[in-house]
Amino acid sequence: MNTVIVQVRDRARGNVTAPMIVWSLVVAVVLFMLEARFGSRTSVTWVGVGATGLFGAYLGWHRRVAATFVAPIVSWFVAWFPLVVASMIHDGFFKGLAVGLFWITIGWFMIGLAEFVWLFLVATFVRMLRGSAGPREPDVVLFGPRGDER
């Protein structure tokens, strides 16, 4: 009788859902402040760049670089309503609605691309600095008919 043993290992380090939501909220506030013209544009922009860099470092440290592909989409879901409201505050109701919808549809490709590139670069850099997790066990272990391991 032949015996087959299958072992699946989870290699991901930690859940990134909560940090991704917190980062998305910070980005939404930054975009709101930029569009509504609240605060210093330079300071607000650097807060957004810094928050994105910190989140990218977190993703790289936890070896979750693939989450950089999903993060701009999550950010879009969180920021679309505040961005429309900020446009209405700055430009009035009708013009603000049109400008806000523009930023949500067309402009978000630029915003999302910038978020993705910065997240990916920082996460990849931090992951390379951290190095490997140490000696890995093989993905597949074969046991021969005499119980020997290959």
Side-chain angles (χ1 to χ4, degrees):
M1 172 129 204
N2 292 335
T3 305
V4 176
I5 299 173
V6 177
Q7 182 179 9
V8 178
R9 294 187 190 105
D10 183 19
R11 291 197 188 148
R13 305 255 187 227
N15 190 354
V16 295
T17 304
M20 189 177 296
I21 296 297
V22 170
W23 168 76
S24 296
L25 289 170
V26 170
V27 168
V29 169
V30 165
L31 291 172
F32 178 88
M33 291 180 72
L34 286 172
E35 181 60 28
R37 312 295 197 276
F38 293 147
S40 167
R41 290 182 68 78
T42 305
S43 300
V44 171
T45 302
W46 278 111
V47 167
V49 170
T52 303
L54 285 174
F55 182 57
Y58 178 84
L59 291 176
W61 185 259
H62 286 280
R63 294 183 176 92
R64 300 296 297 269
V65 178
T68 60
F69 293 101
V70 177
I73 298 168
V74 173
S75 176
W76 179 82
F77 278 117
V78 172
W80 73 268
F81 182 72
L83 194 54
V84 170
V85 170
S87 296
M88 287 184 202
I89 289 172
H90 182 260
D91 296 320
F93 183 78
F94 292 113
K95 184 180 177 188
L97 186 61
V99 169
L101 291 176
F102 170 78
W103 277 114
I104 291 303
T105 54
I106 307 299
W108 201 265
F109 289 114
M110 296 180 297
I111 295 168
L113 180 65
E115 289 174 347
F116 167 72
V117 167
W118 183 233
L119 281 172
F120 186 77
L121 289 174
V122 173
T124 303
F125 180 71
V126 170
R127 183 174 173 147
M128 286 183 349
L129 284 180
R130 184 169 185 209
S132 68
R136 268 183 30 184
E137 295 180 27
D139 291 335
V140 177
V141 178
L142 300 174
F143 293 99
R146 290 181 291 269
D148 56 333
E149 195 175 311
R150 296 184 231 176

